[in-house]
Amino acid sequence: MSFYKCDITSKEAVDEVAARVQEEVGHPTILINNAGIGHAHTMLEATPSYLRKLFDINVISHFYTLQAFLPHMISTKKGHIVTLASMARSAMLASV
């Protein structure tokens, strides 16, 4: 098993780590998007910087990882992508 640390909010960092993974262990056939954050406060209390971080981690990062790994999966017609979400991350959006 290998571990690669990456700032998933940075497309450049994702691309750099993806290249290292592909070079060192080969092209992955399984991608699991499991990063997410959420805090117990209302949307009215959320700062612009927190909202940016929330979307960068919970949404945008998934596109970065897909762009890095999906092309090879498509070209070889082999691969699986799993994206996880939880109600815990939705707590902020649902608080009324």
Side-chain angles (χ1 to χ4, degrees), residues 6 8 10-22 26-28 31 33 60-74 81:
C6 180
I8 60 168
S10 164
K11 175 143 177 53
E12 294 78 19
V14 170
D15 288 343
E16 180 181 308
V17 171
R20 281 186 49 218
V21 167
Q22 292 161 354
H27 290 274
L31 171 63
N33 289 313
I60 304 299
S61 67
H62 296 240
F63 287 92
Y64 295 161
T65 58
L66 285 169
Q67 289 172 342
F69 295 107
L70 185 58
H72 187 266
M73 291 180 188
I74 290 171
I81 299 167

Side-chain angles (χ1 to χ4, degrees), residues 1-61:
M1 179 178 272
S2 302
F3 171 81
Y4 293 85
K5 184 176 180 179
C6 180
D7 174 3
I8 60 168
T9 65
S10 164
K11 175 143 177 53
E12 294 78 19
V14 170
D15 288 343
E16 180 181 308
V17 171
R20 281 186 49 218
V21 167
Q22 292 161 354
E23 180 181 313
E24 294 174 13
V25 296
H27 290 274
T29 57
I30 299 173
L31 171 63
I32 300 174
N33 289 313
N34 189 32
I37 62 168
H39 294 281
H41 54 71
T42 67
M43 290 300 288
L44 296 175
E45 299 167 326
T47 64
S49 63
Y50 174 74
L51 291 173
R52 168 76 342 208
K53 183 177 179 179
L54 179 81
F55 276 85
D56 282 348
I57 292 172
N58 292 357
V59 179
I60 304 299
S61 67

